[in-house]
Amino acid sequence: MIDILVNFWKRVRRSKQNDHAPINHVFAYWDSDDHTLIEEMKADWRSAFPNFKIFGDSDIIPLIAEVQPDFIETYRRIRLASAKSDIARLLVLYRFGGLYVDCHMGVVSREGILALFDRLNKFDHIFVNRSLQYSRGQLEIPHYSPGQLDEYRLISGMIMSRSGGPHFLQMARQAMANLTWKRHVEARDGFAPYSLSFLCGPHLVNSMTIQPGSCNREVRRDLAHRVEIIREEEFPVVRNRYGSYRAPGNHWSERQKTELLFER
């Protein structure tokens, strides 16, 4: 009888573990069905992860409908694709889990990425700390002072997570609230200076993950046991390997200086 009960509870535990096991899913976002400009990047990732997926608006709008249906019209009117990408990554990480990468990212080590998926058996989320300038596999000249090197600067362009994490849902809802407010301001006043980083991008991710008052040196206390932060130099993904889709003056950081964020 004891053996029967032990085996029963082992099956229950395995079932619960499988229910919450992270999906080895790698994805990116592109705001067009035409992937010509990112074919090289897509081929690189699919050679390592055959199920690598490029999400588009037709995939993201149903996710918005699940959590914030009144935001759909605002999402459709966004003019800068980077803002859509910010919403997309948070919702897909919340809904499916996996590894999100921007379309300029390249694979450094498939085995390293798989090892990090195993780490998601212990942690809910894995963030990457941009403590030094690091791109194309080379360390560059740091643009931070020595006293800043132990501060967290989380990169929103590569994040890993288990599915169903409330932290990503909270960040997505805050980003959608910020963008909804911005749309109302533009409808009323026309162009006014704004920052995508603060509205829905890296600054929002950092401000909602890092403990206030810690000088960017501590994870929020209610998340600390669920979050792992890895230095960018050690993360098996590299920034800026691909950039054929970039054109002078077309980066969001430049366009936001003069362009409306929403279609009228």
Side-chain angles (χ1 to χ4, degrees):
M1 183 65 179
I2 293 176
D3 290 339
I4 294 174
L5 289 173
V6 169
N7 290 332
F8 170 76
W9 284 114
K10 283 183 178 178
R11 288 196 300 271
V12 170
R13 288 184 64 189
R14 282 197 297 269
S15 174
K16 288 183 177 180
Q17 288 171 352
N18 290 336
D19 286 344
H20 297 284
I23 300 172
N24 289 4
H25 172 64
V26 185
F27 66 93
Y29 168 84
W30 191 248
D31 71 327
S32 168
D33 293 332
D34 183 358
H35 293 172
T36 303
L37 294 176
I38 56 171
E39 283 297 342
E40 187 180 4
M41 177 266 192
K42 187 165 69 172
D44 177 24
W45 280 96
R46 285 190 173 168
S47 68
F49 296 92
N51 293 327
F52 175 74
K53 179 176 175 61
I54 304 288
F55 279 82
D57 288 348
S58 60
D59 304 297
I60 302 306
I61 288 175
L63 300 183
I64 296 174
E66 289 182 14
V67 300
Q68 197 77 29
D70 60 354
F71 183 73
I72 292 175
E73 183 61 24
T74 297
Y75 180 85
R76 285 178 170 151
R77 289 183 179 271
I78 294 173
R79 300 178 70 249
L80 274 62
S82 293
K84 287 187 172 183
S85 176
D86 289 336
I87 297 297
R89 78 191 70 186
L90 297 174
L91 288 177
V92 176
L93 284 167
Y94 164 70
R95 181 66 177 81
F96 300 111
L99 166 64
Y100 168 86
V101 291
D102 279 343
C103 286
H104 58 80
M105 306 285 187
V107 181
V108 173
S109 168
R110 178 179 184 274
E111 291 72 23
I113 294 172
L114 290 175
L116 287 176
F117 276 119
D118 288 339
R119 296 290 292 166
L120 288 177
N121 288 314
K122 179 178 180 181
F123 296 97
D124 289 347
H125 318 301
I126 298 175
F127 291 94
V128 182
N129 185 32
R130 185 178 181 170
S131 57
L132 294 173
Q133 285 286 63
Y134 186 75
S135 64
R136 300 184 186 276
Q138 300 293 324
L139 277 173
E140 300 172 353
I141 298 173
H143 62 76
Y144 306 123
S145 66
Q148 294 176 301
L149 295 183
D150 59 345
E151 295 179 12
Y152 289 133
R153 290 173 177 80
L154 307 182
I155 301 174
S156 62
M158 41 185 165
I159 304 176
M160 302 183 75
S161 180
R162 296 167 66 92
S163 62
H167 183 51
F168 278 87
L169 180 59
Q170 291 167 3
M171 289 194 290
R173 283 183 166 152
Q174 184 61 60
M176 289 187 284
N178 292 346
L179 292 173
T180 299
W181 166 82
K182 177 59 180 170
R183 181 185 170 198
H184 290 320
V185 171
E186 283 193 353
R188 183 190 65 201
D189 302 332
F191 178 81
Y194 61 94
S195 167
L196 283 187
S197 179
F198 279 75
L199 290 173
C200 53
H203 188 275
L204 179 139
V205 171
N206 279 265
S207 65
M208 294 190 68
T209 306
I210 303 304
Q211 176 66 28
S214 70
C215 298
N216 296 325
R217 288 177 169 84
E218 297 177 19
V219 175
R220 219 173 71 191
R221 294 191 180 102
D222 59 316
L223 296 172
H225 64 290
R226 306 201 316 253
V227 167
E228 182 171 35
I229 299 179
I230 297 176
R231 290 176 64 89
E232 185 179 2
E233 301 93 303
E234 301 168 0
F235 199 73
V237 175
V238 65
R239 289 186 287 120
N240 300 323
R241 177 174 290 175
Y242 305 103
S244 59
Y245 59 90
R246 290 173 170 170
N250 198 43
H251 193 265
W252 63 266
S253 61
E254 299 170 281
R255 294 180 61 188
Q256 69 180 6
K257 296 176 182 178
T258 59
E259 295 185 34
L260 291 169
L261 179 53
F262 295 95
E263 299 285 356
R264 280 298 183 81

